[in-house]
Amino acid sequence: MFAVTLATLAAFSLSSSNGIALSGPVSLSNLAPADEYFGRQKLSPISIRHMVYSLKDELYHARRRSDAIEHDAGIVDDALQDWSSRFPRDSWLPSTFWNLAQLYASLPGVDARTRALGILQQLRDRFPETPYAAGAAREMPASLVRAVDAVSGSPPSEQSAAALTLEDRFFTLSGGGSDPAYVRAAWELASTFERLPGEPAQTQAIRLLALLVDRYPTVVFGKWAMRDLKRGVGER
């Protein structure tokens, strides 16, 4: 039995609990015990992963209201953040972050989609050697666009603040607007600011349109930005 146990542990050391090959052995001290509990609701790692899959299934089959699912996603998120802070090298974390991000991205509303973007960024930055990090980096520009698109569906009193938050995310993620992967996100943000009332929103729109014209004049979004600047911001 001892020999079998050693063989099992050796096999386990060749791959993570996600089934993804690792470059080195998995230290058991890095793994959260199954009877360890996290977050305000004291969820185990297995419960956290199970809840993510269950919530995705409930959303897909429309078994519950999306706001109720988003509430429970927040509970899972709280537990996952606690788990990741206490066992930051646990090999289950990347796939769990990825699935939670996908759940948030599927929910309506700017809050959920902004949260999806934040989790993808966390996944990219904290687990750079995993395939999930590469997937997160590819997904982030589109995730930012989806969050911007959701601004118009939020309460009018919250739209300006949401747009400003996403503009900050844009400049952070795109390296000050230098990453061409985020060109569409800049255009969508400019369009959002153009639709908002008030001079500050129009100033933000001009700032983004000017960036597009300056850095991406031959791209379609840069050409559209020049068109808007010529005819007057807000005149659509």
Side-chain angles (χ1 to χ4, degrees), residues 169-188:
R169 289 290 186 95
F170 161 74
F171 280 108
T172 298
L173 298 176
S174 67
S178 61
D179 188 342
Y182 290 88
V183 170
R184 182 181 173 185
W187 164 254
E188 297 291 351

Side-chain angles (χ1 to χ4, degrees), residues 18-42:
N18 308 318
I20 297 175
L22 298 177
S23 58
V26 176
S27 171
L28 293 182
S29 64
N30 292 332
L31 304 176
D35 59 351
E36 192 82 12
Y37 300 98
F38 303 98
R40 292 186 296 272
Q41 297 297 319
K42 303 302 180 184

Side-chain angles (χ1 to χ4, degrees), residues 42-57:
K42 303 302 180 184
L43 301 178
S44 70
I46 293 175
S47 295
I48 293 170
R49 290 169 62 84
H50 175 73
M51 282 187 67
V52 173
Y53 289 123
S54 295
L55 292 171
K56 290 175 72 174
D57 186 66

